[in-house]
Amino acid sequence: MQEQLVQEITRLVIAQLDNTKVIESEYMVPIGISARHVHLTREHIDILFGKDYQLNKKKVLMGGQYAAQECVTLVGTKLRAIENVRILGPERKVSQVEVSQTDAIRLGIKAPIRESGNIKGSAPIAMVGPLGAVYLDEGCIVAKRHIHMSPEDAKQFGVVDNQIVNVKVGNGRGGIFEGVQIRVDQSFTLEMHIDTDEANGLGVGKEGRILIK
């Protein structure tokens, strides 16, 4: 009983210090473990795979995105490389590479933690395909942990787009993910995205009961 009281007081103190909203209900939220992947422009697809090459869909994802069958090799400093890195479609206006911190260390680069699309001043990286190679002066990041939600989900949780929350994970080893960004769009389905490092750190599987704090 005393231990439960201490835990509850600790929770309330953390919530007060973080100035975040506490939601008392728990929900089953699918957890998507995001492995390393790349987004490519039309120009870079042409260089890597040939002019007017069309990516082939392997798996449909939320928000009109899909995992392509095609992969590339990432090359960092001192020619350190990671092979078979999945391409996500459709084409983008700017190419971007998303890796974990472990991947960044392996590649010998310093990739900043950023929201997807925010690549200004990020790490340089090279990509090699079957027909060519592309060097990005900037474009490699470690994706900031986030939760995709529809407007209806956001209303149920009592959160808004771009709000930063803490998330308690009750499965695996258990723990709290801080600084989780809420991303709301009508095309999104409810899913929290973390990378392989984060998932391994807390023993997280593909689905878990979480509490947004």
Side-chain angles (χ1 to χ4, degrees):
M1 185 65 180
Q2 184 175 1
E3 182 179 350
Q4 291 179 345
L5 180 60
V6 171
Q7 291 177 348
E8 179 64 15
I9 292 173
T10 301
R11 183 183 70 83
L12 293 173
V13 169
I14 292 175
Q16 182 63 34
L17 290 175
D18 290 340
N19 193 28
T20 56
K21 185 175 182 179
V22 178
I23 299 174
E24 298 297 344
S25 299
E26 292 189 353
Y27 300 88
M28 288 300 294
V29 177
I31 298 178
I33 302 171
S34 180
R36 60 186 80 101
H37 60 271
V38 305
H39 302 276
L40 297 174
T41 62
R42 176 71 259 168
E43 176 189 3
H44 291 160
I45 294 174
D46 287 347
I47 294 172
L48 295 168
F49 295 94
K51 185 171 177 56
D52 298 325
Y53 184 89
Q54 297 299 312
L55 298 174
N56 296 286
K57 294 182 180 180
K58 179 182 177 68
K59 181 181 179 181
V60 176
L61 306 174
M62 75 173 68
Q65 294 193 84
Y66 61 88
Q69 295 180 11
E70 290 78 9
C71 296
V72 296
T73 296
L74 300 181
V75 181
T77 60
K78 300 181 180 178
L79 299 182
R80 297 176 183 175
I82 297 178
E83 299 179 338
N84 300 316
V85 180
R86 187 72 55 191
I87 298 171
L88 298 190
E91 301 162 12
R92 286 202 174 185
K93 295 181 179 179
V94 180
S95 291
Q96 173 180 296
V97 178
E98 297 181 31
V99 298
S100 68
Q101 287 284 12
T102 297
D103 290 336
I105 293 172
R106 177 177 171 183
L107 291 166
I109 60 176
K110 295 181 179 180
I113 299 173
R114 297 278 184 82
E115 177 186 359
S116 180
N118 181 8
I119 63 170
K120 184 176 178 58
S122 59
I125 193 77
M127 299 177 288
V128 180
L131 296 183
V134 170
Y135 178 78
L136 301 178
D137 290 318
E138 59 184 16
C140 187
I141 64 171
V142 175
K144 187 175 184 178
R145 58 181 74 116
H146 56 276
I147 300 177
H148 289 283
M149 291 184 179
S150 68
E152 293 76 17
D153 291 325
K155 183 177 180 179
Q156 181 180 20
F157 278 82
V159 294
V160 296
D161 189 38
N162 287 322
Q163 183 174 340
I164 302 300
V165 299
N166 294 339
V167 172
K168 179 180 179 182
V169 181
N171 65 327
R173 295 179 177 178
I176 294 177
F177 285 121
E178 297 182 344
V180 182
Q181 183 178 23
I182 299 296
R183 299 177 61 183
V184 181
D185 190 90
Q186 191 62 58
S187 66
F188 291 161
T189 54
L190 184 60
E191 187 170 76
M192 178 175 176
H193 285 178
I194 57 177
D195 65 28
T196 50
D197 284 355
E198 294 169 319
N200 291 336
L202 291 187
V204 177
K206 291 185 177 180
E207 187 172 87
R209 182 175 295 275
I210 68 172
L211 173 63
I212 297 184
K213 300 176 64 180

